[in-house]
Amino acid sequence: MFLEQAIKPENHFVKYILGLFIIFLASLIGQIPLLVAIQYKTMNSDMASPVTQEDLFKVFDSNIMLVLMLLSFVFVLVATLLVVKYWHRQPVLTIITSRKKIDWKRILFSFSIWGFLTTFFLVLSYWMEPSNFIINFEWKPFLILVVVGVIFIPIPTTAEELVFRGYLMQGFANWVPNRWFPLLMTSLVFGALHFYNPEVAKTGNVIMIYYIGTGLFLGILTLMDEGTELALGFHAANNLFGALLVTSTWTAFQTHSVLKAIGEPSLIWDILVPVLIIYPILLSIFNLKYGWKSWKEKLTGKLFLNK
């Protein structure tokens, strides 16, 4: 089973803390190209100091900025895989799935259903309140965005899922051998790391409900399905379709998307509805397709040492 396969006497939680420190250092190294680019632009432009994210999107093409922002996740992903293989001495597959190999059909199904629903909800929002959007579409930069998005966006989403729903969830399971504690802790940490996103400054701390709720949803997917495939597909679709379809001046990714949102974010529709309505519906759909059983045991049960 997914968590049990990492429960070993030698996998002390301190070992995971050191592993996370290595991953964090890799992230810092990956940010060097962005920092160098910012320094160069600051020295050769009239940008004030400190530089805001809005300033950066004024002097960098958004496709270039997107690549620079996502580059550090390449280092995070590589570091995570190396830490698992050489520091914990366990197969990389063990932080991805409990199956004998990665189930790509699960990833594709989750990606497809959330991509479809994301598109549907955006079309519905535009139909109901067209004044909240302006057409942002330009063929050339959009096609470049498609290529950049397809290549680069799955890297950070995969890195985040393998760190949070894979490595860190198994780490907390080695500390407290049950299922609810890793689920809760990874959801809280996942939400906390989004605290400095520009969306928080725009909407206020209430958006943490969305971030923590999304982490909880992805954690439930992982525990019920005994692997990260469904979470990987959902997360990739969420970020890719979001980048391609709609942007705004206050989101983390500002892209050459089809639409640009100019209205104010809604507490009900943008935060509460996804967490309280859409995510439970998605869980029901996955439950029907994959025939999940023993919900209480899989989400709150005890774990046993893998000898």
Side-chain angles (χ1 to χ4, degrees):
M1 299 177 76
F2 184 65
L3 293 183
E4 281 87 343
Q5 63 190 355
I7 306 295
K8 301 177 181 179
E10 63 271 22
N11 270 345
H12 302 290
F13 187 67
V14 174
K15 198 170 185 178
Y16 283 90
I17 294 176
L18 294 174
L20 287 171
F21 181 70
I22 295 172
I23 294 169
F24 174 71
L25 288 179
S27 173
L28 294 181
I29 294 172
Q31 293 176 37
I32 291 176
L34 175 60
L35 297 175
V36 171
I38 292 173
Q39 184 65 28
Y40 175 79
K41 286 293 185 179
T42 303
M43 294 174 60
N44 293 276
S45 70
D46 295 328
M47 283 197 303
S49 184
V51 180
T52 66
Q53 182 166 302
E54 187 175 354
D55 293 330
L56 295 177
F57 279 101
K58 289 179 181 178
V59 297
F60 287 106
D61 178 81
S62 64
N63 287 327
I64 295 175
M65 186 63 184
L66 183 63
V67 172
L68 290 172
M69 291 176 64
L70 299 181
L71 188 59
S72 66
F73 288 96
V74 176
F75 289 78
V76 169
L77 181 58
V78 172
T80 302
L81 301 181
L82 292 177
V83 163
V84 171
K85 184 174 182 179
Y86 295 106
W87 180 239
H88 292 271
R89 298 187 181 279
Q90 65 189 63
V92 168
L93 187 66
T94 58
I95 66 163
I96 303 174
T97 186
S98 61
R99 286 167 269 275
K100 293 182 179 180
K101 59 182 181 179
I102 299 172
D103 190 337
W104 293 99
K105 290 183 179 180
R106 272 175 155 81
I107 296 175
L108 182 61
F109 176 73
S110 181
F111 179 89
S112 299
I113 193 169
W114 188 238
F116 169 78
L117 289 175
T118 298
T119 305
F120 171 78
F121 289 130
L122 178 61
V123 171
L124 181 63
S125 297
Y126 183 77
W127 178 72
M128 293 176 63
E129 292 287 345
S131 61
N132 287 338
F133 303 89
I134 58 174
I135 303 298
N136 192 52
F137 181 76
E138 296 180 52
W139 269 110
K140 186 176 179 180
F142 178 77
L143 291 178
I144 296 174
L145 172 63
V146 171
V147 174
V148 169
V150 169
I151 294 173
F152 282 95
I153 287 180
I155 295 175
T157 58
T158 299
E160 287 191 17
E161 289 310 308
L162 296 191
V163 169
F164 287 99
R165 258 60 66 178
Y167 185 70
L168 191 55
M169 184 173 278
Q170 291 179 350
F172 281 121
N174 272 281
W175 184 17
V176 179
N178 62 38
R179 289 172 170 266
W180 68 263
F181 184 78
L183 173 61
L184 177 62
M185 291 303 296
T186 52
S187 302
L188 291 174
V189 175
F190 180 77
L193 287 183
H194 289 80
F195 183 75
Y196 292 102
N197 278 21
E199 291 90 340
V200 179
K202 179 68 175 181
T203 62
N205 293 341
V206 68
I207 199 174
M208 297 306 294
I209 296 173
Y210 172 78
Y211 289 130
I212 295 173
T214 300
L216 188 64
F217 165 70
L218 294 170
I220 292 172
L221 281 184
T222 299
L223 291 181
M224 291 305 303
D225 202 51
E226 298 291 355
T228 64
E229 288 99 333
L230 296 179
L232 286 168
F234 173 92
H235 204 155
N238 187 70
N239 287 26
L240 179 60
F241 280 84
L244 295 178
L245 296 179
V246 63
T247 188
S248 73
T249 58
W250 47 267
T251 54
F253 291 161
Q254 295 177 35
T255 63
H256 292 290
S257 56
V258 176
L259 296 174
K260 185 173 184 177
I262 58 174
E264 292 296 312
S266 167
L267 167 63
I268 294 177
W269 292 107
D270 296 327
I271 297 174
L272 297 182
V273 168
V275 173
L276 300 180
I277 298 177
I278 297 175
Y279 289 168
I281 291 174
L282 282 173
L283 287 172
S284 299
I285 293 173
F286 290 129
N287 180 51
L288 287 174
K289 181 169 178 60
Y290 297 111
W292 293 338
K293 302 181 186 302
S294 305
W295 280 69
K296 183 178 179 180
E297 177 63 25
K298 284 193 172 185
L299 297 181
T300 65
K302 294 182 178 180
L303 299 170
F304 299 96
L305 182 67
N306 181 17
K307 298 181 179 180

